[in-house]
């Protein structure tokens, strides 16, 4: 049967064999509790089990029979209370859960228990995932608790319905129809988020339109927040720092001005009057033309604190972005945020977190981790990753980002001894942190399949899973996503999983291998290594690759721009040392002659050519592999992916040819003939 992708990973299809086994274990659903969330759990379990078992399972709140699935909290369910799991439940925190096979009144049952309804919802989705992925459910002993507190979608949606760096149709939020008309998509979206533990969303672009904070907009936003609430998805907003001037008609937005402080306090009070569980503000300040505290001679900390003070009585947070790169700080864009923010460590209010992109430049296909991770001892740092594939083929190329994020999260910062991975820093295990979190600049829009490319859904999914557990493997995530989204047939799963696992490296190879970055122009899609004209030098490609007749690469070593010094030892020494710097980061940190000898024995030029060749070949191979799945998955999605792969293969060849032609002219070396 044809599928359009709307159901995402919640298709609830299992094989007949699994259905028979599960059917013996799941015979009754019992969700105790009056809340809307409990209603959602009931609906979800009922729909899912009916679909997967091929018969309706009884939903019975009174009796108890063998094969009951009991879901709830100790507060609402006497059955769960009587189990006396108090200490174990305590360990699962506000959002975690326990799933155990147990015996109650001699009946074998499955219990999904938590401290709050939302944990029960997460537990229910976890249980359903086990069934969707064909895993045993008869002897369960699971306890889960999210490693990070804030697991947020960051939408870059504008009030006019456009989306900055959105590739999947227009914005899902219909501001004209809100608050009266509530699209079904709002609940479907929140459900998808909840299914992977995402607990909030910033609804608007960081280049924030000030009108989002106007009273009229807030009423619309509140209606949306009401839909999301039972799914545990909290509302957050990007705030424009000059709102007191633009909206409040004050003479200044200086954060130390009393009238400005009062304006933000009144605005926060107004928001909480409408949205009692509002999460807080995300702010892009003094970056790429956005207003900010520096406009008034104040620091980022002073700017963040005025908002933090307004939110604090309501327990809201400020997420202050470290995506700043003022030219007067340092000649190297990659160094600027670290310099500005480390200076301010300790000056932020307790309810401020600094939100840092995974790498020091800007969501490039490959960057080393941002040196701010691990460097702030007294300030919570949360990570910002990007599921919308701005620099990674947008919604046209098949690129699974789980592997990229795994590489990032597993990077050892050495902030405190070895093993201080980014994942551990984020979880507050390196420096204790009041706020922990990871957010994703995200991809769904109004396209039927939500994300444009069917495989881009996997990036939404992988983000949610990693935000819950940043130490999960990208392969496990790819495996479960594939089983839920495409097929449970082991052979098919293996093929798709391998395609996914290799896809990011393939993309790096045909676009920006060996540490190259920013070889693009304004659309961030097509190759443009010759791009030397932009409103700022650090928006050009030539600023980054610095290719000339002598060589190529950005010297960030101790003998050059010294960016390596922003990393802890021994990481800085490793990056600094030409021989020890991983070659995947070579031209990020080093400037090398064209005939520099690589580990393979090839010259740099030959290696570069080989990488581009390899990338284009890998893209072609990917297309072939996909063709082999014809008939293994539904025809429509197969065809739609195939159509995009054709484009990807052509683009990969274009990248190879244009980049090598350009660098070949500078290096004065012949480009090997492409196969
Ligand atoms: C990138 C992106 C912009 C975005 C910015 C940001 O530069 O191209 O569209 O506004 O990041 O993260 O703020």
């Amino acid at each position: 049967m044809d599928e359009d992708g709307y159901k995402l990973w919640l298709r609830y299809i299992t094989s007949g064999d699994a259905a028979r086994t599960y059917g013996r274990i799941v015979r009754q659903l019992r969700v105790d509790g009056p809340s809307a969330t409990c209603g959602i759990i009931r609906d979800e379990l009922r729909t899912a089990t009916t679909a997967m078992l091929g018969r309706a399972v009884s939903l019975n709140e009174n009796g108890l029979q063998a094969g009951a699935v009991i879901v709830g909290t100790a507060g609402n369910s006497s059955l769960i209370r009587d189990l006396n799991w108090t200490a174990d439940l305590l360990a699962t925190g506000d959002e975690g859960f326990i799933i155990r096979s147990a015996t109650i009144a001699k009946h074998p049952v499955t219990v999904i228990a938590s401290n709050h309804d939302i944990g029960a919802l997460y537990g229910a989705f976890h249980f359903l995932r086990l069934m969707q992925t064909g895993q045993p459910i008869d002897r369960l002993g699971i306890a889960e608790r999210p490693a990070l507190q804030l697991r947020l979608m960051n939408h870059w949606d504008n009030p006019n319905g456009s989306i900055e760096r959105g590739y999947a149709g227009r914005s899902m939020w219909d501001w004209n129809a809100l608050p009266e008309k509530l699209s079904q998509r709002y609940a479907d979206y929140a459900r998808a988020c909840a299914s992977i533990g995402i607990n909030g969303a910033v609804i608007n672009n960081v280049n924030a339109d000030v009108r989002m904070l106007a009273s009229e907009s807030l009423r619309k936003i509140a209606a949306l927040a009401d839909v999301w609430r039972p799914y545990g998805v909290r509302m957050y907003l990007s705030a424009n720092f000059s709102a007191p001037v633009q909206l409040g008609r004050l003479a200044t937005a200086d954060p130390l001005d009393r009238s400005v402080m009062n304006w933000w306090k009144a605005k926060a009070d107004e928001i909480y009057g409408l949205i009692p569980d509002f999460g807080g503000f995300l702010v892009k300040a003094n970056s790429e033309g956005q207003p900010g505290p520096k406009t008034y001679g104040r620091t980022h900390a002073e700017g963040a604190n005025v908002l933090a003070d307004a939110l604090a009585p309501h327990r809201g947070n400020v997420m202050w972005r470290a995506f700043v790169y003022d030219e007067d700080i340092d000649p190297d864009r990659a160094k600027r945020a670290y310099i500005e923010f480390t200076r301010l460590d300790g000056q932020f209010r307790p309810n401020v977190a600094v939100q840092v992109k995974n790498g020091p430049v800007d969501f490039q296909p490959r960057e080393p981790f941002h040196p701010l991770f691990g460097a702030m001892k007294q300030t919570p740092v949360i990570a910002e990753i990007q599921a919308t594939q701005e620099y990674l083929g947008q919604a046209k190329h098949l690129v699974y980002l789980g592997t990229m994020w795994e590489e990032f999260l597993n990077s050892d910062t050495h902030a405190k001894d070895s093993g201080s991975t980014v994942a551990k820093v984020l979880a507050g295990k390196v420096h204790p942190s009041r706020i922990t979190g990871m957010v994703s600049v995200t991809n769904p829009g109004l396209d039927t399949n939500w994300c444009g490319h069917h495989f881009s859904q996997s990036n939404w999914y992988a983000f949610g899973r990693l935000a819950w557990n940043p130490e999960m493997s990208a392969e496990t995530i790819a495996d479960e996503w594939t089983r839920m989204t495409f097929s449970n047939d082991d052979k098919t799963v293996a093929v798709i999983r391998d395609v996914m696992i290799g896809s990011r490296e393939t993309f790096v190879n045909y676009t920006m291998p060996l540490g190259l970055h920013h070889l693009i122009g304004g659309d961030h899609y097509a190759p443009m290594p010759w791009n030397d004209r932009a409103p700022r030098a650090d928006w050009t490609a030539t600023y980054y690759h610095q290719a000339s007749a002598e060589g190529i690469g950005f010297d960030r070593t101790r003998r050059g721009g010294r960016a390596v010094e922003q990393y802890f030892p021994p990481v800085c020494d490793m990056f600094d040392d030409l021989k020890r710097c991983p070659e995947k980061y070579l031209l990020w940190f080093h400037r090398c002659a064209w005939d520099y000898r690589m580990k393979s024995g090839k010259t740099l030029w030959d290696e570069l050519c080989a990488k581009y060749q390899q990338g284009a070949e890998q893209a072609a191979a990917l297309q072939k592999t996909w063709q082999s799945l014809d008939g293994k998955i539904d025809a429509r999605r197969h065809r739609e992916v195939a159509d995009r792969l054709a484009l990807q293969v052509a683009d990969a060849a274009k990248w190879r040819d244009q980049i090598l032609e350009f660098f070949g002219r500078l290096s004065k070396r012949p480009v090997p003939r492409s196969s």
Side-chain angles (χ1 to χ4, degrees):
M1 206 181 59
D2 262 358
E3 296 193 42
D4 60 16
Y6 187 81
K7 290 184 178 168
L8 296 160
W9 47 86
L10 298 169
R11 291 159 62 251
Y12 295 130
I13 293 175
T14 50
S15 70
D17 286 354
R20 271 188 294 284
T21 321
Y22 294 152
R24 284 195 290 276
I25 301 166
V26 180
R27 309 188 72 86
Q28 180 198 2
L29 301 170
R30 199 175 147 159
V31 185
D32 291 349
S35 71
T37 305
C38 288
I40 288 167
I41 300 173
R42 257 176 231 117
D43 288 349
E44 196 70 39
L45 285 174
R46 175 84 160 174
T47 316
T49 50
T50 304
M52 287 192 279
L53 305 181
R55 62 170 169 81
V57 179
S58 80
L59 196 58
N60 182 343
E61 240 93 284
N62 301 313
L64 181 73
Q65 65 183 75
V69 177
I70 301 159
V71 190
T73 60
N76 281 327
S77 161
S78 59
L79 291 173
I80 292 179
R81 201 162 40 242
D82 291 347
L83 290 167
N84 264 321
W85 291 352
T86 320
D88 291 350
L89 273 173
L90 209 64
T92 66
D94 285 343
E95 297 174 296
F97 54 83
I98 288 172
I99 308 179
R100 268 187 213 163
S101 308
T103 306
I104 299 182
K106 300 207 174 110
H107 296 307
V109 298
T110 307
V111 181
I112 304 177
S114 66
N115 294 313
H116 299 283
D117 291 344
I118 198 63
L121 178 62
Y122 292 152
F125 275 119
H126 189 103
F127 181 67
L128 293 174
R129 185 183 309 121
L130 297 177
M131 295 174 72
Q132 285 168 283
T133 54
Q135 295 182 55
I137 57 165
D138 54 345
R139 283 168 176 196
L140 297 177
I142 295 169
E144 287 261 341
R145 157 186 204 149
L148 307 180
Q149 298 157 2
L150 306 180
R151 307 179 299 278
L152 313 182
M153 302 281 268
N154 278 194
H155 293 270
W156 283 357
D157 293 20
N158 299 312
N160 67 5
S162 63
I163 305 180
E164 178 145 349
R165 314 300 174 186
Y167 312 104
R170 299 196 37 97
S171 170
M172 297 187 289
W173 329 128
D174 188 349
W175 298 117
N176 291 327
L178 280 162
E180 289 82 15
K181 259 187 77 192
L182 298 169
S183 151
Q184 176 59 36
R185 213 178 244 257
Y186 301 156
D188 293 347
Y189 163 82
R191 169 178 170 251
C193 286
S195 75
I196 45 177
I198 291 170
N199 65 358
V202 180
I203 203 167
N204 61 314
N205 193 352
V206 285
N207 298 316
D209 191 311
V210 74
R211 285 171 300 176
M212 286 298 286
L213 293 177
S215 305
E216 197 198 340
S217 308
L218 293 176
R219 278 190 293 277
K220 295 169 189 272
I221 294 164
L224 199 46
D226 289 343
V227 177
W228 292 355
R229 188 164 297 110
Y231 295 91
V233 180
R234 285 172 79 178
M235 178 64 71
Y236 294 75
L237 287 174
S238 289
N240 183 307
F241 197 78
S242 68
V245 176
Q246 291 188 54
L247 207 60
R249 306 253 165 265
L250 300 187
T252 178
D254 180 348
L256 299 194
D257 184 288
R258 179 65 46 200
S259 63
V260 172
M261 295 177 191
N262 290 338
W263 190 88
W264 282 113
K265 277 203 160 65
K267 189 45 80 181
D269 294 345
E270 182 188 356
I271 294 175
Y272 281 92
L274 293 162
I275 312 170
D277 56 351
F278 178 66
F281 293 131
L282 170 65
V283 188
K284 172 177 179 176
N286 295 116
S287 169
E288 301 185 333
Q290 292 303 306
K294 289 175 74 177
T295 319
Y296 305 94
R298 312 296 183 192
T299 67
H300 280 286
E302 287 167 325
N305 290 347
V306 69
L307 299 179
D309 288 342
L311 295 170
H314 309 283
R315 305 167 62 85
N317 291 323
V318 173
M319 292 155 298
W320 194 266
R321 295 179 88 227
F323 183 65
V324 296
Y325 51 102
D326 279 359
E327 280 153 310
D328 57 354
I329 302 285
D330 190 274
D332 180 4
R333 170 170 163 182
K335 287 174 69 184
R336 297 172 187 156
Y338 177 96
I339 295 171
E340 279 212 70
F341 277 85
T342 45
R343 273 183 203 154
L344 300 173
D345 194 13
Q347 296 181 29
F348 292 92
R349 295 282 192 269
N351 58 332
V352 177
V354 174
Q355 182 166 313
V356 181
K357 288 189 184 184
N358 57 287
V361 170
D362 188 11
F363 297 138
Q364 296 304 292
R366 171 166 276 133
E367 298 190 32
F369 67 92
H370 200 302
L372 271 172
F373 293 106
M376 305 280 276
K377 292 198 177 66
Q378 300 169 65
T379 311
V381 169
I382 64 174
E384 178 180 310
I385 58 178
Q386 194 189 45
T388 191
Q389 296 161 228
E390 175 180 354
Y391 295 93
L392 284 114
Q394 302 176 1
K396 296 195 177 115
H397 293 206
L398 190 167
V399 187
Y400 168 58
L401 299 175
T403 46
M404 172 159 118
W405 299 332
E406 180 180 59
E407 177 178 286
F408 158 62
L409 291 163
N410 287 346
S411 300
D412 195 343
T413 68
H414 285 266
K416 258 196 206 160
D417 311 323
S418 71
S420 303
T421 60
V422 172
K424 293 223 156 52
V425 169
L426 291 178
K429 291 179 183 161
V430 175
H431 309 304
S433 185
R434 296 175 298 268
I435 306 171
T436 58
M438 179 151 80
V439 310
S440 168
V441 178
T442 196
N443 44 3
L446 271 183
D447 274 6
T448 306
N449 74 0
W450 300 85
C451 299
H453 198 302
H454 289 292
F455 275 86
S456 297
Q457 295 179 355
S458 68
N459 295 329
W460 179 2
Y461 183 85
F463 160 66
R465 299 292 282 140
L466 287 170
W468 182 276
N469 176 7
E471 302 195 22
M472 241 185 125
S473 91
E475 187 165 334
T476 305
I477 296 172
D479 189 282
E480 59 184 37
W481 178 81
T482 302
R483 288 181 186 278
M484 294 189 284
T485 307
F486 281 117
S487 167
N488 246 318
D489 169 62
D490 286 339
K491 278 204 192 108
T492 308
V493 172
V495 173
I496 298 181
R497 193 189 51 216
D498 290 353
V499 156
M500 291 170 76
I501 295 300
S503 61
R504 184 268 188 144
E505 203 62 45
T506 295
F507 186 85
V508 168
N509 286 342
Y510 66 73
T511 61
M512 307 181 211
L514 301 179
L516 286 170
H517 47 294
H518 219 282
L519 301 183
I520 33 74
D523 64 357
H524 297 179
Y525 179 77
M528 226 170 133
W530 51 86
N531 176 22
D532 61 359
R533 237 171 269 165
R536 311 172 44 135
D538 54 15
W539 287 355
T540 64
T542 49
Y543 169 90
Y544 296 95
H545 63 67
Q546 301 193 12
S548 69
E550 284 73 47
I552 181 170
F554 199 125
D555 185 355
R556 294 189 166 111
T557 65
R558 295 198 170 101
R559 298 155 302 284
R562 310 172 75 106
V564 292
E565 291 179 344
Q566 294 184 338
Y567 293 92
F568 289 94
V571 184
C572 53
D573 306 314
M574 176 186 65
F575 287 154
D576 190 58
D577 182 345
L578 186 56
K579 291 288 159 216
R580 284 196 298 140
C581 179
E583 286 187 344
K584 62 184 178 185
Y585 301 128
L586 185 70
L587 304 176
W588 183 283
F589 288 112
H590 296 268
R591 181 168 175 73
C592 298
W594 292 109
D595 52 10
Y596 169 74
R597 245 340 118 189
M598 302 291 291
K599 289 188 182 119
S600 64
K602 291 196 187 94
T603 65
L604 169 60
W605 171 248
D606 286 346
E607 181 94 351
L608 202 63
C609 293
K611 284 280 179 201
Y612 279 100
Q613 288 287 2
Q614 187 191 4
E617 280 161 19
Q618 286 168 322
L622 205 163
Q623 184 183 32
K624 270 222 174 72
T625 307
W626 188 254
Q627 278 157 7
S628 76
L629 292 173
D630 192 10
K632 304 276 185 221
I633 61 173
D634 58 287
R636 174 171 171 181
R637 288 188 300 164
H638 186 268
R639 190 182 59 247
E640 287 173 353
V641 171
D643 288 349
R644 292 193 185 221
L645 279 169
L647 202 73
Q648 181 172 356
V649 171
D651 282 342
K654 201 184 293 168
W655 267 95
R656 175 199 57 203
D657 294 344
Q658 297 193 352
I659 298 275
L660 291 183
E661 212 254 328
F662 175 77
F663 287 145
R665 247 184 291 137
L666 291 167
S667 71
K668 302 198 174 50
R669 281 158 172 80
V671 178
R673 286 179 62 81
S674 56
S675 50

